[in-house]
Coordinates of all heavy atoms in Angstrom, one line a residue:
M1 N 98.7 116.9 94.1 CA 98.6 115.9 93.1 C 97.6 116.3 92.0 O 96.6 116.9 92.2 CB 98.2 114.5 93.7 CG 99.3 113.8 94.3 SD 99.1 112.0 94.4 CE 97.4 111.8 94.7
G2 N 97.9 115.8 90.8 CA 97.0 116.1 89.7 C 97.5 115.6 88.4 O 98.7 115.2 88.4
G3 N 96.8 115.7 87.3 CA 97.3 115.3 86.0 C 96.9 113.9 85.6 O 95.8 113.4 86.0
L4 N 97.8 113.3 84.9 CA 97.5 112.0 84.3 C 98.1 110.9 85.1 O 99.1 111.0 85.8 CB 98.1 112.0 82.9 CG 97.5 113.1 81.9 CD1 98.3 113.2 80.7 CD2 96.0 112.8 81.6
I5 N 97.5 109.7 84.9 CA 98.0 108.5 85.5 C 98.7 107.6 84.5 O 98.1 107.4 83.4 CB 96.8 107.7 86.2 CG1 96.1 108.6 87.2 CG2 97.3 106.4 86.8 CD1 94.7 108.1 87.5
Y6 N 99.9 107.2 84.8 CA 100.6 106.4 83.9 C 100.8 104.9 84.4 O 100.8 104.7 85.6 CB 102.0 106.9 83.7 CG 102.0 108.4 83.2 CD1 102.0 109.4 84.1 CD2 102.1 108.6 81.8 CE1 102.0 110.7 83.6 CE2 102.1 109.9 81.3 CZ 102.0 110.9 82.2 OH 102.0 112.2 81.7
D7 N 100.8 104.0 83.4 CA 101.1 102.6 83.9 C 102.7 102.5 83.9 O 103.4 103.4 83.7 CB 100.4 101.6 83.0 CG 101.0 101.5 81.6 OD1 102.1 102.1 81.3 OD2 100.4 100.8 80.7
K8 N 103.1 101.2 84.2 CA 104.6 101.0 84.4 C 105.4 101.2 83.1 O 106.6 101.4 83.2 CB 104.8 99.7 85.0 CG 104.4 98.5 84.2 CD 104.7 97.2 85.0 CE 104.5 96.0 84.2 NZ 103.0 95.7 84.0
N9 N 104.7 101.2 82.0 CA 105.4 101.5 80.7 C 105.4 102.9 80.3 O 105.8 103.3 79.2 CB 104.8 100.6 79.6 CG 104.9 99.1 79.9 OD1 105.9 98.6 80.4 ND2 103.8 98.4 79.8
G10 N 104.8 103.8 81.1 CA 104.7 105.2 80.8 C 103.6 105.6 79.9 O 103.5 106.7 79.4
K11 N 102.7 104.6 79.7 CA 101.5 104.9 78.9 C 100.4 105.5 79.8 O 100.2 105.1 80.9 CB 100.9 103.5 78.3 CG 100.0 103.7 77.1 CD 99.6 102.3 76.6 CE 98.1 102.3 76.6 NZ 97.5 101.0 77.0
V12 N 99.7 106.5 79.2 CA 98.7 107.2 80.0 C 97.5 106.2 80.1 O 96.9 105.8 79.1 CB 98.2 108.5 79.3 CG1 97.0 109.1 80.0 CG2 99.4 109.5 79.2
V13 N 97.1 105.9 81.3 CA 96.0 105.0 81.5 C 94.7 105.7 82.1 O 93.7 105.1 82.3 CB 96.4 103.8 82.4 CG1 97.4 102.9 81.7 CG2 97.0 104.3 83.7
G14 N 94.9 106.9 82.5 CA 93.7 107.6 83.0 C 94.0 109.0 83.5 O 95.1 109.4 83.5
H15 N 93.0 109.7 83.9 CA 93.1 111.1 84.4 C 92.8 111.0 85.9 O 92.1 110.1 86.4 CB 92.1 112.0 83.7 CG 92.3 113.4 83.9 ND1 91.6 114.1 84.9 CD2 93.2 114.3 83.4 CE1 92.0 115.4 84.9 NE2 93.0 115.5 84.0
I16 N 93.4 112.0 86.6 CA 93.3 112.0 88.0 C 91.9 112.1 88.5 O 91.6 111.7 89.6 CB 94.2 113.1 88.6 CG1 94.5 112.9 90.1 CG2 93.6 114.5 88.4 CD1 95.5 111.8 90.3
T17 N 90.9 112.6 87.7 CA 89.6 112.7 88.2 C 88.8 111.4 88.1 O 87.8 111.2 88.7 CB 88.8 113.7 87.3 OG1 88.9 113.4 86.0 CG2 89.3 115.1 87.6
S18 N 89.4 110.4 87.4 CA 88.7 109.1 87.4 C 89.2 108.3 88.6 O 90.2 108.6 89.2 CB 89.1 108.3 86.1 OG 90.5 108.2 86.0
P19 N 88.4 107.2 88.9 CA 88.9 106.4 90.1 C 90.3 105.9 89.9 O 90.7 105.6 88.9 CB 87.9 105.3 90.1 CG 86.7 105.8 89.4 CD 87.2 106.7 88.3
D20 N 91.0 105.9 91.0 CA 92.4 105.5 91.0 C 92.7 104.0 90.9 O 92.0 103.3 91.7 CB 93.1 106.1 92.2 CG 93.0 107.6 92.4 OD1 92.5 108.2 91.4 OD2 93.3 108.1 93.5
R21 N 93.6 103.6 90.1 CA 94.0 102.2 90.1 C 95.2 102.1 91.0 O 96.2 102.8 90.9 CB 94.4 101.8 88.6 CG 94.5 100.4 88.4 CD 93.2 99.7 88.8 NE 92.1 99.8 87.9 CZ 91.5 98.8 87.2 NH1 91.9 97.6 87.4 NH2 90.5 99.1 86.4
L22 N 95.0 101.2 92.0 CA 96.0 101.1 93.1 C 97.2 100.3 92.7 O 97.2 99.3 92.0 CB 95.4 100.6 94.3 CG 94.3 101.5 95.0 CD1 93.4 100.6 95.9 CD2 95.0 102.6 95.8
T23 N 98.4 100.7 93.3 CA 99.6 99.9 93.3 C 99.9 99.6 94.7 O 99.4 100.2 95.6 CB 100.7 100.6 92.6 OG1 101.0 101.8 93.4 CG2 100.4 101.1 91.2
A24 N 100.8 98.6 95.0 CA 101.1 98.3 96.3 C 101.7 99.5 97.1 O 101.4 99.7 98.2 CB 102.2 97.1 96.3
K25 N 102.5 100.3 96.3 CA 103.0 101.5 96.9 C 102.0 102.5 97.3 O 102.1 103.2 98.3 CB 104.0 102.1 95.9 CG 105.4 101.7 96.1 CD 106.4 102.6 95.3 CE 107.8 102.2 95.6 NZ 108.7 102.8 94.7
S26 N 101.0 102.7 96.3 CA 100.0 103.7 96.6 C 99.1 103.3 97.8 O 98.7 104.1 98.6 CB 99.2 104.1 95.4 OG 98.4 103.0 94.9
I27 N 98.8 102.0 97.9 CA 98.1 101.5 99.1 C 98.8 101.8 100.4 O 98.2 102.4 101.3 CB 97.8 100.0 98.9 CG1 96.9 99.7 97.8 CG2 97.2 99.5 100.2 CD1 96.8 98.3 97.4
E28 N 100.1 101.5 100.4 CA 100.9 101.8 101.6 C 100.9 103.3 101.9 O 100.7 103.7 103.0 CB 102.3 101.3 101.3 CG 103.1 101.1 102.5 CD 104.6 100.8 102.2 OE1 104.8 99.9 101.3 OE2 105.5 101.4 102.7
F29 N 101.0 104.1 100.8 CA 101.0 105.6 101.0 C 99.7 106.0 101.6 O 99.7 106.7 102.6 CB 101.3 106.3 99.6 CG 101.0 107.7 99.7 CD1 102.0 108.6 100.2 CD2 99.8 108.3 99.2 CE1 101.7 110.0 100.3 CE2 99.5 109.6 99.3 CZ 100.5 110.5 99.8
W30 N 98.6 105.6 101.0 CA 97.3 106.1 101.4 C 97.0 105.6 102.9 O 96.5 106.4 103.7 CB 96.2 105.6 100.5 CG 96.2 106.4 99.2 CD1 96.5 106.0 98.0 CD2 95.8 107.8 99.1 NE1 96.4 107.0 97.1 CE2 96.0 108.1 97.7 CE3 95.4 108.8 100.0 CZ2 95.7 109.4 97.2 CZ3 95.2 110.1 99.5 CH2 95.3 110.4 98.1
E31 N 97.2 104.3 103.1 CA 96.9 103.8 104.4 C 97.7 104.5 105.5 O 97.2 104.7 106.6 CB 97.0 102.3 104.4 CG 95.9 101.7 103.6 CD 95.8 100.2 103.8 OE1 96.8 99.5 104.3 OE2 94.8 99.6 103.4
T32 N 99.0 104.8 105.2 CA 99.8 105.5 106.2 C 99.3 106.9 106.3 O 99.2 107.5 107.4 CB 101.3 105.5 105.7 OG1 101.6 104.1 105.5 CG2 102.2 106.0 106.8
E33 N 99.1 107.6 105.2 CA 98.7 109.0 105.2 C 97.3 109.2 105.9 O 97.2 110.1 106.7 CB 98.5 109.4 103.7 CG 98.3 110.9 103.5 CD 99.5 111.7 103.7 OE1 100.6 111.2 103.9 OE2 99.4 112.9 103.5
I34 N 96.4 108.4 105.6 CA 95.0 108.5 106.1 C 94.8 107.8 107.5 O 94.0 108.2 108.3 CB 93.9 108.1 105.1 CG1 94.2 108.7 103.7 CG2 92.5 108.4 105.6 CD1 94.0 110.2 103.6
G35 N 95.6 106.7 107.7 CA 95.4 105.9 108.9 C 94.2 105.0 108.8 O 93.6 104.7 109.9
M36 N 93.7 104.7 107.6 CA 92.6 103.8 107.5 C 93.0 102.7 106.5 O 93.8 102.9 105.6 CB 91.4 104.6 106.9 CG 90.5 105.2 107.9 SD 89.3 106.3 107.1 CE 88.4 105.1 106.0
E37 N 92.3 101.5 106.6 CA 92.5 100.5 105.6 C 91.6 100.8 104.4 O 90.5 101.2 104.6 CB 92.2 99.1 106.2 CG 93.2 98.7 107.2 CD 92.8 97.3 107.8 OE1 91.7 96.9 107.6 OE2 93.7 96.7 108.4
L38 N 92.2 100.5 103.2 CA 91.4 100.6 102.0 C 90.6 99.3 101.8 O 91.2 98.3 101.7 CB 92.3 100.8 100.8 CG 92.7 102.3 100.5 CD1 94.0 102.3 99.7 CD2 91.6 103.0 99.8
R39 N 89.3 99.4 101.8 CA 88.5 98.2 101.7 C 87.5 98.4 100.6 O 87.0 99.5 100.3 CB 87.8 97.9 103.0 CG 88.7 97.4 104.1 CD 88.0 96.9 105.3 NE 88.9 96.5 106.3 CZ 89.4 95.2 106.3 NH1 89.1 94.3 105.4 NH2 90.3 94.9 107.2
C40 N 87.2 97.3 99.9 CA 86.2 97.2 98.9 C 84.8 97.6 99.4 O 84.4 97.2 100.5 CB 86.1 95.8 98.3 SG 84.8 95.6 97.1
D41 N 84.1 98.5 98.7 CA 82.8 98.9 99.2 C 81.7 97.8 99.1 O 80.7 97.9 99.7 CB 82.4 100.2 98.3 CG 81.2 100.8 99.0 OD1 81.3 101.2 100.2 OD2 80.1 101.0 98.3
I42 N 82.0 96.8 98.2 CA 81.0 95.8 98.0 C 81.2 94.6 99.0 O 80.3 94.2 99.8 CB 81.0 95.3 96.6 CG1 80.5 96.4 95.7 CG2 80.1 94.0 96.4 CD1 80.5 96.1 94.2
C43 N 82.4 94.0 99.0 CA 82.6 92.8 99.8 C 83.4 93.0 101.0 O 83.5 92.2 101.9 CB 83.2 91.7 98.9 SG 84.9 92.1 98.5
G44 N 84.0 94.2 101.1 CA 84.8 94.5 102.3 C 86.2 94.0 102.4 O 86.9 94.1 103.4
S45 N 86.7 93.3 101.3 CA 88.1 92.9 101.3 C 89.0 94.0 101.3 O 88.8 95.0 100.7 CB 88.4 91.9 100.2 OG 87.4 91.4 99.5
R46 N 90.2 93.8 101.9 CA 91.3 94.8 101.8 C 91.7 94.9 100.4 O 91.9 93.9 99.7 CB 92.4 94.2 102.6 CG 93.5 95.2 102.9 CD 93.4 95.8 104.2 NE 94.5 96.7 104.4 CZ 95.5 96.5 105.3 NH1 95.5 95.4 106.0 NH2 96.5 97.4 105.5
L47 N 91.9 96.1 99.9 CA 92.3 96.4 98.5 C 93.7 96.1 98.3 O 94.6 96.2 99.2 CB 92.0 97.8 98.1 CG 90.5 98.2 98.1 CD1 90.3 99.6 97.5 CD2 89.6 97.2 97.4
R48 N 94.0 95.6 97.1 CA 95.4 95.2 96.7 C 95.8 95.9 95.4 O 95.0 96.6 94.8 CB 95.5 93.7 96.5 CG 95.3 92.9 97.7 CD 95.6 91.5 97.5 NE 94.6 90.6 98.1 CZ 94.5 89.3 97.7 NH1 95.2 88.8 96.7 NH2 93.6 88.6 98.3
S49 N 97.0 95.7 95.0 CA 97.5 96.2 93.8 C 96.6 95.9 92.6 O 96.2 94.7 92.5 CB 98.9 95.6 93.6 OG 99.4 96.0 92.3
G50 N 96.2 96.9 91.8 CA 95.4 96.6 90.7 C 93.9 96.9 91.0 O 93.1 97.0 90.1
D51 N 93.6 97.0 92.3 CA 92.2 97.3 92.6 C 91.9 98.8 92.5 O 92.9 99.6 92.2 CB 91.9 96.9 94.1 CG 92.0 95.4 94.3 OD1 92.1 94.7 93.3 OD2 92.1 94.9 95.4
Q52 N 90.7 99.2 92.7 CA 90.3 100.6 92.4 C 90.0 101.3 93.7 O 89.2 100.8 94.5 CB 89.1 100.6 91.5 CG 88.6 101.9 91.1 CD 87.4 101.8 90.3 OE1 87.5 101.6 89.1 NE2 86.2 101.9 90.9
K53 N 90.5 102.5 93.8 CA 90.2 103.4 94.9 C 89.3 104.5 94.5 O 89.5 105.2 93.4 CB 91.5 104.0 95.5 CG 91.3 104.9 96.7 CD 92.6 105.5 97.2 CE 93.1 106.7 96.5 NZ 92.2 107.8 96.4
D54 N 88.3 104.8 95.2 CA 87.4 106.0 95.0 C 88.3 107.2 95.0 O 89.1 107.4 96.0 CB 86.3 106.1 96.0 CG 85.2 107.1 95.6 OD1 85.6 108.2 95.3 OD2 84.1 106.7 95.7
H55 N 88.2 108.1 94.0 CA 89.0 109.3 94.0 C 88.8 110.2 95.2 O 89.7 110.9 95.6 CB 88.7 110.1 92.7 CG 89.6 111.3 92.6 ND1 91.0 111.2 92.5 CD2 89.3 112.6 92.5 CE1 91.5 112.4 92.4 NE2 90.5 113.3 92.4
L56 N 87.6 110.1 95.8 CA 87.3 110.9 96.9 C 87.5 110.2 98.3 O 87.2 110.8 99.3 CB 85.8 111.4 96.8 CG 85.6 112.3 95.6 CD1 84.1 112.6 95.4 CD2 86.4 113.6 95.7
W57 N 88.0 109.0 98.2 CA 88.4 108.3 99.5 C 89.4 109.2 100.2 O 90.2 109.7 99.6 CB 89.0 106.9 99.1 CG 89.2 106.1 100.4 CD1 88.3 105.3 101.0 CD2 90.4 106.0 101.1 NE1 89.0 104.7 102.0 CE2 90.2 105.1 102.2 CE3 91.7 106.7 101.0 CZ2 91.2 104.8 103.1 CZ3 92.7 106.4 101.9 CH2 92.4 105.5 103.0
P58 N 89.3 109.3 101.5 CA 88.5 108.6 102.5 C 87.1 109.2 102.7 O 86.4 108.8 103.6 CB 89.3 108.7 103.7 CG 90.0 110.0 103.7 CD 90.3 110.2 102.2
Y59 N 86.7 110.3 102.0 CA 85.4 110.9 102.2 C 84.3 110.0 101.7 O 83.2 109.9 102.3 CB 85.3 112.3 101.6 CG 86.5 113.1 102.1 CD1 87.6 113.4 101.3 CD2 86.4 113.7 103.3 CE1 88.6 114.2 101.7 CE2 87.5 114.4 103.8 CZ 88.6 114.7 103.0 OH 89.6 115.4 103.5
F60 N 84.5 109.3 100.6 CA 83.6 108.4 100.0 C 84.3 107.1 99.7 O 85.4 107.1 99.3 CB 83.0 109.0 98.7 CG 82.1 110.2 99.0 CD1 82.6 111.4 98.8 CD2 80.8 110.0 99.4 CE1 81.9 112.6 99.0 CE2 80.0 111.2 99.6 CZ 80.6 112.4 99.4
T61 N 83.6 106.0 99.9 CA 84.1 104.7 99.5 C 83.3 104.0 98.4 O 83.6 102.9 98.1 CB 84.1 103.7 100.8 OG1 82.8 103.6 101.2 CG2 85.0 104.3 101.9
N62 N 82.3 104.7 97.9 CA 81.3 104.1 97.0 C 82.0 103.5 95.8 O 81.4 102.5 95.2 CB 80.4 105.2 96.4 CG 79.7 106.0 97.5 OD1 80.4 106.3 98.5 ND2 78.4 106.2 97.4
H63 N 83.1 104.0 95.3 CA 83.8 103.4 94.1 C 85.0 102.6 94.5 O 85.8 102.2 93.6 CB 84.1 104.5 93.1 CG 82.9 105.2 92.6 ND1 82.1 104.6 91.7 CD2 82.4 106.4 92.9 CE1 81.1 105.4 91.5 NE2 81.2 106.5 92.2
N64 N 85.2 102.3 95.7 CA 86.3 101.3 96.1 C 85.9 100.0 95.6 O 84.8 99.5 96.0 CB 86.5 101.3 97.6 CG 87.3 102.5 98.1 OD1 87.7 103.4 97.4 ND2 87.7 102.4 99.4
R65 N 86.8 99.3 94.9 CA 86.5 98.0 94.3 C 87.7 97.1 94.3 O 88.7 97.5 93.9 CB 86.0 98.1 92.8 CG 84.7 98.8 92.6 CD 83.5 97.9 93.1 NE 82.3 98.6 92.8 CZ 81.7 99.6 93.5 NH1 82.3 99.9 94.7 NH2 80.6 100.2 93.2
C66 N 87.5 95.9 94.8 CA 88.5 94.9 94.6 C 88.4 94.4 93.2 O 87.4 94.6 92.5 CB 88.4 93.7 95.6 SG 86.9 92.7 95.3
R67 N 89.4 93.7 92.7 CA 89.3 93.2 91.3 C 88.1 92.3 91.0 O 87.5 92.4 89.9 CB 90.6 92.5 90.9 CG 91.0 92.7 89.5 CD 92.4 92.1 89.2 NE 93.4 92.8 89.9 CZ 94.7 92.6 89.7 NH1 95.1 91.8 88.8 NH2 95.6 93.2 90.4
K68 N 87.8 91.5 91.9 CA 86.7 90.5 91.7 C 85.4 91.3 91.6 O 84.6 91.0 90.6 CB 86.6 89.6 93.0 CG 85.8 88.4 92.8 CD 85.9 87.5 94.1 CE 84.5 87.1 94.6 NZ 84.1 87.9 95.8
C69 N 85.1 92.3 92.4 CA 83.9 93.0 92.3 C 83.9 93.9 91.0 O 82.8 94.1 90.4 CB 83.6 93.9 93.5 SG 83.4 92.8 95.0
L70 N 85.0 94.4 90.6 CA 85.1 95.2 89.4 C 84.7 94.3 88.2 O 83.9 94.7 87.3 CB 86.6 95.6 89.1 CG 87.0 97.0 89.6 CD1 88.4 97.2 89.2 CD2 86.1 98.1 89.0
E71 N 85.2 93.1 88.2 CA 84.9 92.1 87.1 C 83.4 91.8 87.1 O 82.8 91.8 86.1 CB 85.7 90.8 87.3 CG 87.1 90.9 86.9 CD 87.3 91.4 85.4 OE1 86.6 90.8 84.6 OE2 88.1 92.3 85.2
E72 N 82.8 91.6 88.3 CA 81.4 91.3 88.4 C 80.5 92.5 87.9 O 79.5 92.3 87.3 CB 81.1 90.9 89.8 CG 81.4 89.4 90.0 CD 81.3 89.0 91.5 OE1 80.6 89.7 92.3 OE2 81.8 87.9 91.8
E73 N 81.0 93.7 88.2 CA 80.2 94.8 87.7 C 80.2 95.0 86.2 O 79.3 95.5 85.7 CB 80.8 96.1 88.3 CG 80.3 96.4 89.7 CD 80.6 97.8 90.2 OE1 81.5 98.4 89.6 OE2 79.9 98.3 91.1
K74 N 81.3 94.6 85.6 CA 81.4 94.7 84.1 C 80.4 93.8 83.4 O 80.0 94.1 82.3 CB 82.8 94.4 83.7 CG 83.8 95.5 83.7 CD 85.1 95.1 83.1 CE 86.3 95.8 83.8 NZ 87.5 95.0 83.6
T75 N 80.1 92.7 84.0 CA 79.3 91.7 83.3 C 77.8 91.9 83.6 O 77.5 92.6 84.5 CB 79.7 90.3 83.7 OG1 79.6 90.2 85.1 CG2 81.1 89.9 83.3
Ligands
ZN1 ZN1 85.0 93.4 96.5

């Protein structure tokens, strides 16, 4: 895997080195592939579509964020 990240309209929304924005499919993929649940590093909730995965997960979870914690970090 590598390169650019696209949204559903084909617009480039990020680079693979930035933290990953999750979709329901990618969560399913990762959890099956790694055999671990993706959880927010701050509140511990299970991550959902639109949440953020640490690019280095499962080695690091420091940047795993649910949408709520992402919003709180921005402010
Ligand atoms: Zn959270």
Side-chain angles (χ1 to χ4, degrees):
M1 277 206 327
L4 300 168
I5 301 162
Y6 299 90
D7 72 9
K8 60 180 187 292
N9 301 314
K11 200 179 124 216
V12 176
V13 292
H15 190 260
I16 200 73
T17 53
S18 60
D20 303 347
R21 197 53 75 116
L22 290 162
T23 62
K25 267 192 178 170
S26 66
I27 292 167
E28 201 186 308
F29 169 81
W30 284 112
E31 291 192 340
T32 307
E33 186 78 1
I34 309 293
M36 268 171 64
E37 287 180 348
L38 273 158
R39 288 187 181 276
C40 175
D41 192 55
I42 293 179
C43 69
S45 342
R46 189 100 177 252
L47 298 186
R48 294 189 221 163
S49 174
D51 295 348
Q52 177 183 282
K53 179 179 82 58
D54 193 311
H55 182 62
L56 296 173
W57 186 88
Y59 305 103
F60 294 97
T61 59
N62 307 42
H63 297 286
N64 279 6
R65 292 289 182 276
C66 68
R67 210 175 298 190
K68 192 174 132 258
C69 294
L70 265 182
E71 284 302 313
E72 278 172 17
E73 272 194 341
K74 272 187 216 159
T75 55

